[in-house]
Amino acid sequence: MEKTISKAQKYQAKIVEALKPQFNYTNIMQTPRLEKICINAGIGDATNDPKLLEAAAAELEAITGQKPVLTRAKKAIATFKLRENQAIGAKVTLRGEKMWNFVENLVNIALPRVRDFKGLPFNSFDGQGNYTIGIKEQIIFTEINFDQINRVRGFNVTFVTSTSNKDESRALLKAIGLPIVTK
């Protein structure tokens, strides 16, 4: 009987083989891993119209296949008509098989649909080896029906890695297939 291999196992095997000789790892546990992907959408207009937040959450759910959690304001800001604990955004944290499905969808389908796409920015790494990109339009994903959206929105996608080294993190994300532009 043939054993089925998950996407996570395929990616992990591909990544380990690509990074092991590059950084002279002696053990496969030394290779960096993609731990999770955090997707965050801030909806500033949700203070006036809560239906915008519901629509954004539904779109995030369609894109990721997972129900988003609403984010709430930590403090009140009168100039923005914002009350404490008011829902102002949505976020999703992907791990495991759903994370790898999202990566495959992003790399192979969504990013090639971006107009004048020349690659992802080189300098979007933070000090902990995480990489964040901004998606300007949710309509690049095939799960979104263009006729049913009421407003074009963007969101942030953060790739959280197990390494704090920028070079190792960059090599990991390139091995996964993200089209990061070199300097």
Side-chain angles (χ1 to χ4, degrees), residues 132-167:
T132 303
I133 59 173
I135 305 290
K136 293 181 181 173
E137 299 175 338
Q138 81 276 29
I139 57 175
I140 63 171
F141 289 92
T142 57
E143 295 86 2
I144 302 296
N145 186 351
F146 187 74
D147 296 331
Q148 294 179 349
I149 64 166
N150 56 357
R151 182 175 290 177
V152 175
R153 289 184 197 83
F155 51 87
N156 293 332
V157 179
T158 302
F159 296 88
V160 179
T161 63
S162 63
T163 182
S164 60
N165 185 335
K166 248 189 223 183
D167 294 330

Side-chain angles (χ1 to χ4, degrees), residues 24-97:
N24 297 323
Y25 295 131
T26 57
N27 188 344
I28 62 168
M29 296 305 288
Q30 290 177 307
T31 58
R33 293 175 306 282
L34 184 60
E35 293 181 342
K36 62 184 175 180
I37 296 176
C38 300
I39 302 166
N40 179 30
I43 312 300
D45 295 337
T47 57
N48 299 330
D49 189 6
K51 290 184 180 183
L52 293 175
L53 186 61
E54 293 171 11
E59 289 167 358
L60 272 181
E61 185 173 359
I63 291 169
T64 62
Q66 186 170 311
K67 187 171 184 194
V69 175
L70 297 181
T71 55
R72 301 189 174 275
K74 293 182 181 176
K75 60 183 181 179
I77 303 172
T79 56
F80 296 133
K81 298 179 183 176
L82 183 65
R83 287 182 238 108
E84 186 175 351
N85 209 20
Q86 185 177 9
I88 55 170
K91 67 178 179 179
V92 177
T93 301
L94 299 173
R95 290 183 173 89
E97 200 66 27

Side-chain angles (χ1 to χ4, degrees), residues 120-126 131 166 170 180-181 183:
L120 297 173
F122 183 78
N123 295 352
S124 293
F125 289 91
D126 63 3
Y131 184 70
K166 248 189 223 183
R170 188 175 292 119
I180 299 173
V181 176
K183 253 183 177 178

